[in-house]
Amino acid sequence: MQILENESLKKYTTIKIGGNAKHLYIPESIDDLVNLMERIKNDKYYIIGGGSNILMNDQKTYENVICLTAMDNNIKSLGNGTYYVGASVRVQELINHINKDGFCGIEYLYSVPALIGGAIVMNAGRGRGHGLSISDFIEEVHIWDGGSIKVVKNDKCGFEYRKSNFKNSKVIVLGGKFTFDKIINDGSRMTKQDRINYSKKVQDYSGPSFGSVFCQHDRKIMQIVRILSPGFKNGISFSNKTSNWLTNRGEGTYLQAVSLINRVKRYHKIIGRKAVPEVIIWE
Ligand SMILES: Cc1cc2nc3c(=O)[nH]c(=O)nc-3n(C[C@H](O)[C@H](O)[C@H](O)COP(=O)(O)OP(=O)(O)OC[C@H]3O[C@@H](n4cnc5c(N)ncnc54)[C@H](O)[C@@H]3O)c2cc1C
């Protein structure tokens, strides 16, 4: 296991905002992780996967941070479109792998810079109206539950829109068993290239971001907030292209992002609505 001391976390997040880790642990196997957790399980710890949906406090030093990029990078075929996939596998790598084997299903995640563990925790998927998420293909999730390794069947994972029982908990997702669809080339399914084209068209890649800010919000209120307070010059601002995204124009800070998020929440509250952040905020 690698252990980095006083490591800046900026480069571990897609929005390029980070605090510091007093100890940054990078387990290189499940055994590494379990041994580490035996030591630190009673302390506060934070988990980073792909870092694509986390807003860290850049003023803060976090005592224990665990980065899961190297814990388990294996994709094991169990036959007939069923795979065991380690939490550290990149979503794109999994899609490439199953497509080569003649299977498909989650191509709409080809643009998502996540690891499988993070995608399971967040139940990553398409927008609310599409009713598609990674949990549609999950059979079971393997976790470290605070004491030992357990296997949780899909119906016990609490999957909902951008939600699972593993979100904001002490549980660490180690990997999952998936069963994907067989590819039928009748032109009806979304391919990787379709998703790349779609993302280029509608998603804002002009600067670092963490994707959607809210998983529940009112589009009209967001538009009003964006017009009234577009954001900070050279810092965090609402995207002009993707309505529910914040973009870091280079000098963005935690406080700027939080102030825009709170502004959206306040506007919702005024008219009796609720805006629920999707992004995980490390206060
Ligand atoms: C450009 C861009 C496009 C995006 N598009 C989409 C999209 O189309 N659909 C969508 O759903 N999301 C999208 N997102 C958001 C984000 O990619 C997803 O939420 C993704 O699932 C986060 O995965 P991650 O590995 O980066 O997790 P992280 O951001 O590292 O972590 C997210 C949360 O999960 C926890 N966590 C991560 N891994 C584990 C683990 N193994 N065990 C326990 N806890 C863990 C973290 O502590 C944190 O609380 C996008 C983000 C970006 C930047």
Side-chain angles (χ1 to χ4, degrees):
M1 174 162 64
Q2 277 189 65
I3 304 175
L4 306 177
E5 306 291 341
N6 300 317
E7 175 77 350
S8 162
L9 295 171
K10 197 172 172 171
K11 64 172 182 277
Y12 296 87
T13 69
T14 55
I15 188 84
K16 302 297 169 216
I17 295 175
N20 281 304
K22 184 144 189 251
H23 313 289
L24 177 67
Y25 301 98
I26 311 180
E28 289 162 326
S29 65
I30 304 280
D31 281 351
D32 266 2
L33 177 88
V34 172
N35 291 336
L36 168 69
M37 296 321 293
E38 278 309 311
R39 278 200 286 126
I40 67 162
K41 65 182 176 193
N42 295 324
D43 302 335
K44 176 111 177 121
Y45 56 84
Y46 295 84
I47 308 286
I48 312 179
S52 62
N53 216 189
I54 299 177
L55 173 61
M56 295 178 189
N57 187 337
D58 48 16
Q59 302 297 310
K60 201 162 162 178
T61 294
Y62 303 96
E63 183 82 14
N64 296 302
V65 181
I66 306 167
C67 172
L68 294 180
T69 45
M71 180 183 66
D72 183 359
N73 281 297
N74 293 304
I75 303 175
K76 268 181 241 146
S77 172
L78 306 171
N80 295 323
T82 301
Y83 296 82
Y84 179 80
V85 186
S88 313
V89 172
R90 290 221 154 257
V91 167
Q92 293 71 14
E93 195 192 330
L94 177 62
I95 297 169
N96 289 338
H97 191 107
I98 62 168
N99 281 182
K100 250 191 230 146
D101 289 353
F103 295 97
C104 65
I106 52 166
E107 286 67 20
Y108 54 80
L109 293 180
Y110 205 69
S111 54
V112 179
L115 305 188
I116 287 301
I120 293 173
V121 171
M122 301 299 289
N123 195 15
R126 286 203 77 184
R128 201 179 269 281
H130 296 276
L132 295 170
S133 45
I134 194 166
S135 59
D136 301 339
F137 296 91
I138 292 175
E139 307 251 353
E140 61 194 30
V141 177
H142 294 219
I143 61 166
W144 179 85
D145 76 344
S148 59
I149 293 176
K150 296 229 164 72
V151 177
V152 188
K153 294 285 177 201
N154 180 311
D155 61 348
K156 298 279 182 279
C157 293
F159 288 124
E160 287 177 37
Y161 183 76
R162 300 294 186 272
K163 213 168 157 187
S164 74
N165 291 342
F166 318 121
K167 194 172 162 181
N168 295 321
S169 77
K170 290 205 90 177
V171 166
I172 301 179
V173 169
L174 307 176
K177 192 160 123 190
F178 294 79
T179 298
F180 295 105
D181 294 338
K182 212 168 174 33
I183 292 180
I184 301 167
N185 281 318
D186 62 357
S188 65
R189 75 178 187 93
M190 174 186 277
T191 62
K192 291 183 294 189
Q193 194 54 49
D194 291 335
R195 182 62 196 190
I196 292 167
N197 296 344
Y198 172 83
S199 320
K200 276 190 190 149
K201 205 165 124 196
V202 304
Q203 296 186 328
D204 188 347
Y205 292 96
S206 64
S209 81
F210 42 60
S212 295
V213 186
F214 294 96
C215 56
Q216 187 189 320
H217 68 285
D218 183 298
R219 272 171 178 252
K220 286 210 178 94
I221 301 175
M222 279 290 278
Q223 273 167 6
I224 293 168
V225 183
R226 208 173 72 214
I227 292 163
L228 293 179
S229 38
F232 298 84
K233 197 165 175 261
N234 302 326
I236 300 289
S237 61
F238 285 106
S239 161
N240 291 323
K241 190 170 172 182
T242 319
S243 71
N244 188 18
W245 283 23
L246 290 175
T247 304
N248 184 352
R249 301 277 165 227
E251 293 164 22
T253 65
Y254 168 81
L255 283 179
Q256 291 174 357
V258 165
S259 84
L260 293 179
I261 290 170
N262 286 343
R263 201 165 300 171
V264 173
K265 283 187 184 169
R266 271 201 307 278
Y267 276 70
H268 277 75
K269 206 170 170 192
I270 287 168
I271 60 153
R273 302 288 297 270
K274 209 170 165 197
V276 180
E278 179 171 328
V279 61
I280 305 291
I281 302 176
W282 292 9
E283 288 175 356

